[in-house]
Amino acid sequence: MTARDSPSTLGWLDGLPTTVQFSVLSCGVFLFFGIHNFLQEAMMRFDGFEFGVMLGFMEVFGVAVCSFLEREYIAKERGRVAPLSAYPLLTGCLLASSALSNIALNYINFPTKVVFRSCKLIPTMLVASILHNRVFSVVEYLCAAAICAGLIFFAAADWQLTPSFHPIGLVFVTLSVCADAVLPNAQERLFRLGSSRLEVTLFTNIFTLIVMTCSTMLSGDFMGLFRLAQQNHVLAMYMAIYTFIAYIAISIHMTIVKKFGGVAAVLVATGRKGMTLVLSFLFFPKAFSWFYVLGASLVLGGLLFSSLHRIKSKSKDQQDSSSRTKSNGEDAMQSKV
């Protein structure tokens, strides 16, 4: 059984009208990602919470458990297609992406992390330009420039207004974005081998969980957070919800991609990131600067236009290819006549 024919955990939606389906799924994305991001920032504000890496550990643990349950009891998949030798790269990328982005929260505030984590476009373009000599369109270069400018504005505001700010936080979150840009390409290679989404998700997160368990036990972060949670039951409750909420949010987002395509998913994702920034300032008051607004507008606007332009170009290429195929077929028929 492949990812395409695996039963969906959201199959009950199929009987509803299309507009209702999209509305329900969009609300689900906003709700569950909103809860996830709220809990993440709330836990970082608990006295004595200095275990940013454990946020990544909890996410990986939750995804590993949920993907196992979905694969075993819903999709009923068995076995493994990809060789184990294919997973060290994925494990390293996921480890760097998850751990570094959450460690960065010890040095930068949450909105800055959200904005920087949104910018996979920059390293993706750099890798494609250097390794594949790819030339991008003027629109894509302008979007990249807007995103870079937005990052500069956001970082400048954080530098001025956040007492705990340290440039190393920007380094950590930037490295996590670079790892995050490599991860989908590595996963795509396994999909071409015939691996399902659940197989790749499960084994990548299991191997990452093993590495993170060993590293956090050695560093003392694991036991440090465990002791802190024993003393604070509210924190323990937040941790339990946070561990599994990410998988629900990601599953709903992937359902939107599958049912309504990339454009709808990009619009929902951009709106969700904007909501995250607004809620962060509302629920967790912090020093405000118009640089935050300007930076977020440039970054989210650049990402939105770039994604829509890429989808439009891909659609146009497919139409042109289809037209050429049809034209060649007609020419062949005429020659036979």
Side-chain angles (χ1 to χ4, degrees):
M1 183 175 287
T2 65
R4 291 180 180 178
D5 55 21
S6 297
S8 171
T9 54
L10 295 172
W12 58 272
L13 280 172
D14 295 336
L16 300 176
T18 302
T19 53
V20 176
Q21 290 183 36
F22 182 73
S23 299
V24 171
L25 290 171
S26 298
C27 290
V29 167
F30 278 79
L31 174 64
F32 288 106
F33 270 114
I35 295 172
H36 171 270
N37 295 331
F38 171 84
L39 292 175
Q40 189 174 75
E41 189 165 5
M43 285 188 288
M44 287 298 299
R45 288 174 172 261
F46 275 92
D47 290 336
F49 192 102
E50 299 176 351
F51 313 103
V53 68
M54 291 304 296
L55 295 172
F57 176 89
M58 287 184 278
E59 286 181 347
V60 170
F61 176 80
V63 172
V65 171
C66 291
S67 59
F68 170 78
L69 294 175
E70 183 179 353
R71 188 171 188 257
E72 185 75 16
Y73 298 107
I74 298 177
K76 298 187 184 302
E77 290 184 15
R78 298 291 187 275
R80 174 175 45 80
V81 175
L84 291 177
S85 59
Y87 284 99
L89 176 60
L90 274 70
T91 299
C93 290
L94 181 58
L95 180 65
S97 171
S98 179
L100 292 175
S101 67
N102 288 299
I103 291 173
L105 286 174
N106 294 324
Y107 306 99
I108 58 178
N109 70 21
F110 185 78
T112 303
K113 177 211 165 183
V114 170
V115 169
F116 270 76
R117 285 282 294 168
S118 302
C119 299
K120 284 190 289 186
L121 174 66
I122 304 299
T124 300
M125 290 179 66
L126 287 175
V127 170
S129 298
I130 295 171
L131 297 183
H132 306 297
N133 296 319
R134 181 179 172 186
V135 178
F136 294 89
S137 67
V138 175
V139 173
E140 288 174 303
Y141 282 120
L142 289 175
C143 289
I147 292 169
C148 289
L151 294 177
I152 292 171
F153 280 120
F154 227 90
D158 213 14
W159 192 310
Q160 293 175 353
L161 302 176
T162 304
S164 61
F165 177 85
H166 194 286
I168 193 65
L170 298 181
V171 175
F172 284 149
V173 76
T174 300
L175 291 175
S176 79
V177 170
C178 293
D180 214 24
V182 175
L183 185 59
N185 295 312
Q187 290 174 328
E188 184 64 29
R189 186 166 62 89
L190 300 193
F191 293 148
R192 287 198 296 268
L193 293 176
S195 298
S196 70
R197 173 187 64 84
L198 284 173
E199 177 192 330
V200 174
T201 301
L202 174 62
F203 285 99
T204 302
N205 281 274
I206 282 180
F207 292 134
T208 304
L209 181 63
I210 293 171
V211 176
M212 293 188 79
T213 300
C214 295
S215 63
T216 54
M217 288 290 287
L218 291 173
S219 67
D221 289 298
F222 187 97
M223 293 307 300
L225 181 58
F226 181 76
R227 285 191 291 268
L228 186 63
Q230 284 183 314
Q231 299 168 7
N232 193 318
H233 294 162
V234 175
L235 174 60
M237 180 184 66
Y238 282 6
M239 289 168 56
I241 299 172
Y242 178 83
T243 297
F244 299 104
I245 203 78
Y247 190 78
I248 300 173
I250 293 169
S251 298
I252 296 174
H253 172 77
M254 293 305 297
T255 303
I256 291 180
V257 174
K258 182 178 179 181
K259 286 180 172 289
F260 301 100
V263 174
V266 166
L267 292 173
V268 172
T270 304
R272 187 258 301 173
K273 291 169 185 173
M275 177 204 70
T276 297
L277 296 174
V278 171
L279 292 181
S280 177
F281 282 96
L282 288 177
F283 285 109
F284 306 99
K286 49 182 72 70
F288 178 78
S289 169
W290 284 104
F291 276 9
Y292 283 136
V293 177
L294 179 58
S297 299
L298 287 170
V299 169
L300 297 181
L303 289 171
L304 178 62
F305 278 108
S306 174
S307 299
L308 294 178
H309 175 75
R310 193 183 308 117
I311 292 169
K312 183 179 179 181
S313 299
K314 185 177 180 180
S315 177
K316 184 179 179 181
D317 290 342
Q318 290 175 343
Q319 290 177 356
D320 291 343
S321 177
S322 177
S323 298
R324 284 195 297 269
T325 302
K326 183 178 180 181
S327 177
N328 292 336
E330 292 175 348
D331 291 344
M333 289 294 293
Q334 290 175 359
S335 64
K336 287 181 179 180
V337 173

